[in-house]
Amino acid sequence: MFRSFSCEKFRSTLTAFLLLILLLFGAGMLFSNAPNFPNSFQEAYASARPEDPSPVEKLSAAISAAESVVDRALNQHTELITIFGGLQRLIGNDVVRDSGGYTVVRMKNGKLTFLDAPSDPAPNAALFNDFAAYANSLGIPTLYLTLPNKVNKYADDMTTGSFCYANGHGDQFLELLDPSVGSLDLRENFQRAEQPYDGYFFDTDHHWTPEGAFLGFQGLCQKLREEYGFAIDPALTSPEHYERITYENQFLGSQGKRVGPLYAGVDDFTLLLPKGADSGYQYSIPHKEAVRSGSFADAFLFYEMLEKKDYYHLNPYAAYSGGDYPLSIAENRNPSSGKRVLLLRQSFSCTLAPFLAQACARVDILDLRYYQGSVRDYVRQTQPDLVIAAYGAGDCVNEALFAPLAG
């Protein structure tokens, strides 16, 4: 009993001490930025105040502006995030809301995820069905590829009091697709995989690992061979065809950046490099006027993301493809299936698209969150052999990924 009491007392004392450090550090950061506060406050207040405000509305706007200025100042100091996250872990808090409005959940398996909210996928399903009908009128089939959510739909991973809606949204969306639209649910492939489901995702980020992207690529290739006539070399989907290079403790993901490395640690990052892919690839990023040519690595790997450990300012996940662009084009001049694909993507395709480029002559890659042109015009002008929409289970309720398909 004495030992139990002593441990609890020590933990309480340490928690109080760290909280004091957090408060003192935060106060120091605020005072160091004091000269900038008046202008920042005035700008935030003007933005929050309605026209002809009442005294109560003025007070409310002032409080909102003060909170905004303080949150902005504190978020610029990564040391504070690290200490804050360490304190949250010490007191055993599995649900952390940050100043930016995001809620980070530490799941039962120790991995981090964001809370989401219920929504209706029906409007986006209608948009996609209409777009698929248009593509079909041009003789171009469409495949909707459901990428796995970090939260396994078949496991009880969420902590008590939290819930994941993404998988339910994904199920509803697939049920609403027109029968003429091809579909593949990669969640089932991950459920049947040799390794545990959660092993294909980072601890501190919502994305799949490169190993997870490769597993998705294997499932996609099987579909392309069986139903769309792609002649894909079996070696491309064999793990033995790839060299593995691991950068240990390299990556603090999107959830980890909000709670710091003391909360859930950091991730290793492993590159999968195809053997013998020494030439014949080209990767173009038109809005940057960038063209990268040569080997698979020359074209698709951005090693600058891995040159040093900078948890808060670098994104090793973007070592594949470089990041999220409105339009990028991957070309493969080596023997391939000869097929041309239009890939509608979100960030999971940073790692998926380079693998897919090995199996195609050309992959045009559009991120509709940023692309400003007409998707229908692009399809009509480029005449791909197949349109693939590769979206996560929860992405089906994201209007930004579907609204551009209307015109």
Side-chain angles (χ1 to χ4, degrees), residues 54-128:
S54 66
V56 173
E57 289 173 329
K58 288 182 180 179
L59 177 60
S60 176
I63 293 173
S64 175
E67 290 178 344
S68 174
V69 171
V70 171
D71 286 345
R72 196 182 313 157
L74 294 183
N75 273 336
Q76 293 174 354
H77 298 279
T78 58
E79 300 92 342
L80 189 62
I81 297 174
T82 298
I83 296 172
F84 173 73
L87 177 63
Q88 296 298 315
R89 179 63 186 274
L90 185 65
I91 64 178
N93 190 3
D94 290 330
V95 180
V96 180
R97 183 175 175 82
D98 76 354
S99 60
Y102 287 87
T103 300
V104 176
V105 176
R106 186 171 184 268
M107 297 189 289
K108 294 177 182 178
N109 58 15
K111 293 179 180 287
L112 305 183
T113 189
F114 286 132
L115 280 187
D116 58 0
S119 189
D120 182 9
N124 286 343
L127 286 169
F128 193 80

Side-chain angles (χ1 to χ4, degrees), residues 122-154:
N124 286 343
L127 286 169
F128 193 80
N129 283 333
D130 187 64
F131 168 76
Y134 171 78
N136 190 58
S137 72
L138 301 175
I140 302 168
T142 304
L143 172 64
Y144 189 87
L145 182 67
T146 300
L147 308 179
N149 189 270
K150 185 174 183 177
V151 180
N152 186 349
K153 66 180 285 189
Y154 297 110

Side-chain angles (χ1 to χ4, degrees), residues 217 220-222 224-225 230-237 337 358-359:
F217 170 63
L220 175 58
C221 283
Q222 181 178 354
L224 296 178
R225 290 185 187 111
F230 280 59
I232 301 172
D233 184 351
L236 298 180
T237 54
S337 70
Q358 299 178 93

